[in-house]
Amino acid sequence: MDGSCNSSAPSNGCPEPPKKQASSAAEVSRHSSTQLATSNDLEADNASSFGSRLLSAEKNVFEHNAWDHVEPDSEYLEYAEQQIRMHHENPVPAEQRELFNWTTDRKSATKEHRTDTDDGHGDRGIASKSGAISANATSQSKFNIMEVGCGAGNAVFPILADIADPRLFVYACDYSQVAVDVVKASEAYDQQRCTAFVWDLAGTELPTDVQPESIDIMLMIFVFSALHPKQWNQAVDNAYRLLKPGGILLFRDYGRNDLAQVRFKKSRLLEDNLYIRGDGTRVYFFTNDELAEIFGAKFEIEQNAIDRRLLVNRKRELKIDPCPWVILNDAGGAFAMGAIGGGTWHFIKGARNSPYGERFRGGMNAMRSRGPIIGGNFAVWGSMFSTFECVLKGIRQKEDPWNSIGSGAITGGLLAARGGWKAASVSAVFGGVLLALIEGVGITMSRAFAQQPPVIAPPPSQ
C-alpha cells in the first residue's frame, strides 16, 4: 500500500495551515507520470515501466512476469478467504500469544533480529524519485530525509548515490543495533552526509540525533506493520513531531489479503490481521480505511493507494494453478511414478526369469512391455483422484485432508465398479483409509519438524 502526507502548525492570527502529510510510498496510478524504481521480479530493461505496466488483453498475460493495477479475480479472493478462515481456526497457542503481543520499550531486545546484509526488499525504489527530492533540496539551505527502519540501507544509499547536492542530509534509524552496524560498516556510509542510529519508532522519546520539526521527508517502508496496534498512535505522534511544518511522510506497507498474508500456515495468527513470522517479528496487513484513520488525525493525507500486482509464472504459463492444470500435472506425475517403479520391478522380475546370458535382454523386454501399462494405470488413478479432489474443493469451499480422503474413496470405488457394488464398496473403503493414513502421516511429520516461532520475552520495563 502506498501514499504520502505533509505537515504544518498554526500560528497566532493566521489560518491553520495544512496538516503534515502521510501516505504509503507514493501512489502509482494509470494517469501518473511518476516512475518508481524497478523491483527484483521485473526485467532490468523494463525498469522505466514499473508501476505502469497495464494488462490490456488477457491473451498477453504471459508476456511479462508481473502486471500492475490488476484486480484479484474471484478464484484468488475465495482462496484468500479460505486461508484466513484457516488462520482464525488455528491461531497462535494462547500460552504463547502474550509473548508476542508486548508493547513495552524494546531497547535491549536486539538479539532476535537477522544479521544478513540485505533486508529482503532490495533497493527500495526511492532512487528513481530522486529528481523530485533533488528539486526540493535545491530550494533551501538544507534538506533532511529520514528513513525509519533503514535495515541494511537499501533506500538510504541509493538516495545518497543519486543526489550529490551537499545540502542533502540523510538520517537512517532502525530498532536493531545489528542493522545500524551494517549501515555504518558500508563503504557508502559518509558521516558528512548521513548518520545512522538506533531508535524505536514506538518509543516515548524522540531520537537525540534529530531535532523536532527538522525532517523534510520521512520514509516508512515496511516498518509500521511490525508494530502492535496499541503502538500505532505513539508512532504516528513521533513522526509528526519530527517532521517540519509541510513535511512529507512516504509510507509503504502490506495490504489486506496480500499473498504474504494468505501464505501463512497454522499457528501464526496473533490477532485479526496480525501475524508472527518465523523469526519472531510481527506483521500486520492494512486496509486503506485503516490507514486513513491511523494517520488522518495528525496528517493531511494526499495519496492513499493500493498497489495491486499480478505475478505470472511465465515458464509454466500459469497465474495460479487452476484445477485443469493440477489434474494434468498429477496425471503426468502418476504416470512417471508408475512407469519408473513398475518398469524397475518388471526388469528385475524379467531378468530373474530369463536364462543365463539373456537376463539383461529379458529384463529390458519385460520393462518395455509392462512399464507403460503400469504407468497408464497410475495415471488413470491420479487423474481421477485429482479431478474429484478439485470437485470437492469447489463444493466444500475448503482445502483440508477430508478432500483427499473423500477423493481416494470415490476413486477406489469407481475403479472397482465393474466388479459389483461389494467390490466397489471394499475398494472405496480401502482408498479412503489409505489416503487417511497418508494424510495422517503427513500431518504428523509436519508437526514434528515444523519450526516453532521462537519465544521472545519482552525485557522488563525500565
Side-chain angles (χ1 to χ4, degrees):
M1 307 189 72
D2 303 322
S4 65
C5 352
N6 63 32
S7 70
S8 295
S11 58
N12 295 333
C14 298
E16 181 176 351
K19 298 178 182 179
K20 298 183 182 180
Q21 302 173 355
S23 158
S24 40
E27 177 184 11
V28 184
S29 70
R30 298 169 186 263
H31 310 291
S32 174
S33 61
T34 302
Q35 299 294 332
L36 294 180
T38 61
S39 73
N40 292 334
D41 53 46
L42 300 182
E43 298 85 354
D45 58 350
N46 290 318
S48 62
S49 64
F50 182 79
S52 59
R53 179 175 290 158
L54 308 180
L55 180 62
S56 57
E58 185 67 22
K59 65 180 181 180
N60 300 328
V61 68
F62 298 112
E63 290 184 2
H64 299 289
N65 291 332
W67 297 92
D68 298 298
H69 310 295
V70 179
E71 293 288 336
D73 57 21
S74 59
E75 184 177 3
Y76 178 80
L77 293 177
E78 291 174 4
Y79 173 64
E81 181 181 354
Q82 172 183 316
Q83 288 293 102
I84 292 174
R85 184 165 56 246
M86 180 269 289
H87 298 159
H88 281 272
E89 293 172 354
N90 302 274
V92 172
E95 62 271 16
Q96 297 184 23
R97 200 167 301 158
E98 290 304 316
L99 296 176
F100 300 106
N101 271 340
W102 47 270
T103 58
T104 56
D105 287 344
R106 306 165 292 170
K107 294 179 180 178
S108 62
T110 59
K111 60 183 178 182
E112 72 273 18
H113 285 266
R114 57 179 176 260
T115 59
D116 55 298
T117 57
D118 190 337
D119 68 355
H121 297 294
D123 286 353
R124 286 179 160 175
I126 303 298
S128 64
K129 299 174 66 63
S130 60
I133 295 175
S134 180
N136 289 329
T138 57
S139 64
Q140 58 191 63
S141 59
K142 190 174 182 180
F143 193 84
N144 296 323
I145 297 177
M146 178 176 181
E147 183 181 18
V148 180
C150 63
N154 292 334
V156 171
F157 294 135
I159 290 175
L160 292 173
D162 274 25
I163 305 176
D165 195 308
R167 288 170 288 187
L168 172 69
F169 194 86
V170 178
Y171 295 93
C173 67
D174 199 283
Y175 158 63
S176 169
Q177 180 66 59
V178 174
V180 172
D181 290 342
V182 169
V183 172
K184 289 183 175 181
S186 172
E187 295 181 356
Y189 183 69
D190 182 357
Q191 293 185 358
Q192 301 300 317
R193 307 184 63 212
C194 175
T195 184
F197 53 91
V198 174
W199 181 55
D200 186 355
L201 172 63
T204 56
E205 298 179 358
L206 296 182
T208 57
D209 302 73
V210 186
Q211 293 297 317
E213 295 193 350
S214 64
I215 301 301
D216 293 278
I217 292 180
M218 179 178 291
L219 308 180
M220 201 177 290
I221 305 174
F222 293 105
V223 62
F224 205 80
S225 55
L227 303 178
H228 190 278
K230 293 180 180 179
Q231 298 174 305
W232 290 346
N233 289 339
Q234 181 66 58
V236 171
D237 185 65
N238 288 341
Y240 181 86
R241 292 163 62 192
L242 289 174
L243 283 164
K244 291 179 178 179
I248 298 175
L249 169 64
L250 298 178
F251 175 100
R252 183 178 180 90
D253 224 310
Y254 293 102
R256 188 71 48 83
N257 292 340
D258 186 276
L259 192 59
Q261 179 182 16
V262 172
R263 283 178 170 172
F264 270 108
K265 304 298 183 182
K266 297 179 180 179
S267 302
R268 294 293 179 182
L269 180 70
L270 286 169
E271 300 177 8
D272 287 348
N273 305 300
L274 179 66
Y275 294 79
I276 184 71
R277 293 190 179 100
D279 62 357
T281 58
R282 296 177 300 218
V283 58
Y284 189 89
F285 296 86
F286 298 94
T287 64
N288 292 86
D289 291 340
E290 284 178 326
L291 292 176
E293 181 178 355
I294 293 167
F295 288 95
K298 292 277 186 180
F299 290 87
E300 176 184 340
I301 300 176
E302 293 190 346
Q303 297 171 333
N304 187 3
I306 299 176
D307 179 15
R308 293 188 175 93
R309 186 165 303 144
L310 172 65
L311 302 180
V312 180
N313 187 332
R314 297 174 69 190
K315 183 176 181 180
R316 297 181 61 196
E317 295 199 347
L318 295 177
K319 293 181 290 182
I320 293 179
D321 287 341
C323 270
W325 287 105
V326 172
I327 294 169
L328 290 175
N329 187 61
D330 289 349
F335 177 84
M337 182 172 62
I340 294 172
T344 302
W345 169 259
H346 282 282
F347 174 83
I348 297 173
K349 185 177 179 181
R352 291 183 61 185
N353 294 333
S354 298
Y356 184 78
E358 297 291 330
R359 289 182 177 177
F360 181 77
R361 181 178 298 177
M364 290 297 295
N365 289 336
M367 183 175 66
R368 280 196 296 266
S369 63
R370 296 298 301 170
I373 295 175
I374 296 177
N377 292 337
F378 271 66
V380 170
W381 196 97
S383 59
M384 290 181 65
F385 172 84
S386 186
T387 299
F388 291 126
E389 188 176 36
C390 283
V391 170
L392 290 178
K393 286 180 184 178
I395 294 174
R396 299 179 68 238
Q397 294 297 302
K398 287 184 178 181
E399 189 170 352
D400 57 25
W402 290 109
N403 293 331
S404 298
I405 295 171
S407 301
I410 296 172
T411 301
L414 285 179
L415 289 177
R418 294 174 61 184
W421 68 270
K422 288 186 178 180
S425 299
V426 171
S427 183
V429 172
F430 178 79
V433 171
L434 176 63
L435 265 297
L437 290 173
I438 294 174
E439 290 291 335
V441 170
I443 293 173
T444 302
M445 296 292 288
S446 297
R447 289 179 177 176
F449 294 102
Q451 180 183 3
Q452 295 297 322
V455 177
I456 306 170
S461 56
Q462 301 296 325

